[in-house]
């Protein structure tokens, strides 16, 4: 009969046993056909709660996850400044300053810049454009501009990233500035971008750059922020660690390319947000088809349900959008993942926090 479900006789004989009225009936079914998985018993809500506690969710984070802190603000505006980058460093610095000022005029209390916004993205350029952040002043004009802009505009700036020189080492470094212009945190890219997709893209940051050694989480006037740079977003352990440290927002300045960008850029942002039930913001350079390394663009803000709140294409753009932290608690009550983690089966160990205990 058209549209009817065809059932093999051997299966039909078992149909009456699919929903047995007794456990004995179920066990008979299981003996008859060992390939049919046992039907789990029905539990009352109180039994489920007891079962969840047996999972030891508090032990899934070592040390235990921190309580989500109450943020200084419940709502605020964030700006993602997707900037064009040229070989002219002075121009790049002045251009970034104008974008920050425009974002502040539009009400942004937090401004996020792209990865490597003051320099072409190449191993040849990193040593030439690198700045001595510790020395400051003329030795670090990009750093100095960001500090002065944060102070004069009284905003928080997650300063994308720039090449940093420290002794004999070069780093891909993101600096976070408070509303007083002081440096609140410095993240050196932990996972270096070494990739080889034949016929598509080959790039090895490790030829010139040194990997950072520390996760970076910063308390700011707009909440607790975990920082990663581009390739760092691929490693969910870092995001989980930041969530366990009480982050409200993860910021990833990044410059995904034309091969991995279409496939993974949005996917990874949404995954990090949904997995950890917090906000994720990314900022890319604008696309320059004539550059040696072509950025994908598509700077994006993602909410704690994995929803894309705002995004853009590949041209220069400034996205200004509201973040509402009440959504974090809402989504965590909708999906209480923190109470359901199997600490009896797996753990994430925050080595840095553990060593401080």
């Amino acid at each position: 009969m058209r549209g009817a479900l065809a059932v093999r006789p051997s299966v039909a004989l078992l149909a009456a046993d699919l929903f047995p009225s007794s456990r004995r009936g179920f066990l008979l079914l299981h003996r008859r056909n060992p390939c049919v998985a046992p039907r789990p018993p029905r539990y009352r809500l109180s039994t489920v709660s007891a079962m969840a506690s047996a999972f030891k969710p508090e032990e899934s984070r070592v040390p235990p996850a921190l309580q989500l802190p109450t943020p200084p603000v419940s709502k605020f505006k964030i700006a993602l400044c997707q900037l064009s980058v040229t070989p002219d460093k002075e121009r790049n610095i002045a251009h970034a300053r104008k974008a920050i000022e425009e974002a502040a005029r539009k009400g942004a209390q937090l401004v996020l810049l792209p990865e490597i916004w003051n320099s072409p993205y190449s191993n040849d350029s990193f040593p030439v454009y690198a700045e001595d952040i510790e020395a400051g002043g003329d030795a670090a004009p990009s750093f100095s501009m960001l500090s002065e802009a944060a102070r004069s505009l009284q905003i928080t700036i997650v300063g994308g990233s720039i090449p940093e020189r420290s002794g004999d080492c070069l780093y891909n470094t993101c600096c976070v500035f408070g509303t007083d212009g002081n440096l609140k945190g410095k993240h050196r890219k932990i996972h270096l971008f070494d990739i080889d997709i034949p016929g598509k893209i080959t790039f090895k940051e490790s030829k010139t750059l040194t990997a950072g050694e520390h996760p970076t989480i910063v308390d700011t006037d707009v909440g607790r922020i975990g920082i990663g740079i581009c390739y760092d977003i691929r490693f969910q352990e870092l995001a989980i660690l930041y969530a366990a440290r009480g982050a409200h927002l993860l910021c990833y300045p990044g410059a995904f390319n034309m091969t991995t960008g279409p496939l993974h850029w949005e996917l990874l942002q949404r995954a990090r947000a949904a997995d950890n039930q917090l906000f994720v913001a990314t900022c890319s350079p604008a696309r320059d088809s004539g550059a040696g390394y072509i950025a994908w663009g598509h700077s994006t803000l993602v909410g704690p349900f994995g929803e894309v709140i705002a995004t853009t294409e590949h041209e220069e753009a400034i996205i200004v959008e509201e973040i509402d932290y009440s959504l974090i608690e809402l989504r965590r009550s909708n999906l209480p993942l923190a109470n359901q983690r199997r600490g009896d089966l797996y753990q994430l160990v925050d080595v840095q926090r553990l060593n401080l205990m």
Side-chain angles (χ1 to χ4, degrees):
M1 181 182 297
R2 186 176 182 181
L5 177 64
V7 181
R8 296 197 312 272
S10 59
V11 176
L13 290 174
L14 296 175
D17 286 329
L18 288 176
F19 300 98
S21 57
S22 68
R23 182 161 177 79
R24 180 176 177 273
F26 177 76
L27 291 175
L28 285 173
L29 167 64
H30 190 55
R31 282 199 294 270
R32 290 174 191 165
N33 187 354
C35 296
V36 177
R39 181 175 177 233
R42 295 180 180 177
Y43 295 104
R44 294 180 179 177
L45 185 60
S46 59
T47 309
V48 173
S49 298
M51 198 166 104
S53 65
F55 293 164
K56 301 180 181 179
E58 72 284 351
E59 294 184 17
S60 65
R61 303 287 184 269
V62 179
L66 300 176
Q67 188 76 22
L68 187 71
T70 301
V73 293
S74 59
K75 295 180 181 180
F76 70 96
K77 287 184 178 181
I78 183 174
L80 315 177
C81 297
Q82 184 164 289
L83 305 174
S84 63
V85 179
T86 73
D88 186 338
K89 184 175 180 179
E90 289 187 5
R91 176 267 176 199
N92 294 336
I93 294 172
H95 191 61
R97 175 60 192 255
K98 288 180 181 178
I100 294 169
E101 291 173 347
E102 181 179 343
R105 283 195 301 270
K106 292 180 177 179
Q109 293 171 260
L110 171 64
V111 173
L112 175 60
L113 296 186
E115 180 185 24
I116 307 293
W117 57 266
N118 70 343
S119 160
Y121 189 90
S122 72
N123 280 311
D124 291 338
S125 298
F126 296 151
V128 177
Y129 289 75
E131 300 187 4
D132 186 342
I133 289 172
E134 300 299 329
D138 292 340
S142 304
F143 174 91
S144 299
M145 181 277 287
L146 294 176
S147 173
E148 195 280 325
R151 181 192 58 78
S152 62
L153 298 170
Q154 295 188 310
I155 58 173
T156 300
I157 296 179
V158 177
S161 77
I162 62 173
E164 177 200 6
R165 184 181 301 281
S166 181
D168 294 330
C169 295
L170 293 174
Y171 298 95
N172 187 341
T173 300
C174 175
C175 295
V176 182
F177 300 89
T179 54
D180 56 4
N182 291 333
L183 180 67
K184 297 187 73 69
K186 182 173 72 173
H187 180 76
R188 289 169 170 168
K189 191 173 187 176
I190 294 174
H191 305 94
L192 294 183
F193 179 60
D194 284 7
I195 184 174
D196 184 14
I197 303 176
K200 295 290 186 179
I201 180 170
T202 299
F203 199 99
K204 296 190 181 299
E205 280 188 329
S206 60
K207 284 185 176 181
T208 54
L209 300 178
T210 300
E213 296 293 332
H214 302 287
T216 307
I217 195 159
V218 184
D219 283 314
T220 74
D221 287 351
V222 292
R224 184 168 293 177
I225 304 175
I227 305 295
I229 299 174
C230 199
Y231 207 54
D232 285 339
I233 200 172
R234 289 190 177 274
F235 299 87
Q236 65 269 38
E237 297 88 349
L238 182 62
I240 297 169
L241 184 151
Y242 286 152
R245 293 187 184 187
H248 302 101
L249 167 67
L250 305 183
C251 286
Y252 293 96
F256 268 49
N257 54 77
M258 298 298 291
T259 300
T260 60
L263 288 170
H264 301 151
W265 181 232
E266 182 180 302
L267 171 70
L268 290 168
Q269 297 172 62
R270 296 183 67 188
R272 298 296 83 86
D275 288 349
N276 298 289
Q277 300 176 305
L278 41 64
F279 286 88
V280 169
T282 64
C283 191
S284 168
R287 189 180 305 170
D288 178 0
S289 298
Y293 180 95
I294 303 175
W296 171 241
H298 296 267
S299 302
T300 304
L301 175 65
V302 182
F305 222 35
E307 73 278 23
V308 173
I309 296 173
T311 190
T312 188
E313 294 296 325
H314 59 81
E315 303 91 352
E316 276 208 331
I318 298 176
I319 301 171
V320 179
E321 189 57 68
E322 183 177 78
I323 285 179
D324 182 353
Y325 281 144
S326 69
L327 290 177
I328 296 177
E329 294 290 359
L330 174 63
R331 296 316 183 191
R332 291 182 180 184
S333 65
N334 295 155
L335 292 173
L337 304 183
N339 299 325
Q340 298 167 335
R341 291 194 169 95
R342 295 295 300 271
D344 57 325
L345 299 180
Y346 51 74
Q347 295 177 329
L348 175 80
V349 180
D350 186 338
V351 176
Q352 196 175 49
R353 281 182 61 205
L354 192 64
N355 290 340
L356 292 175
M357 295 182 69

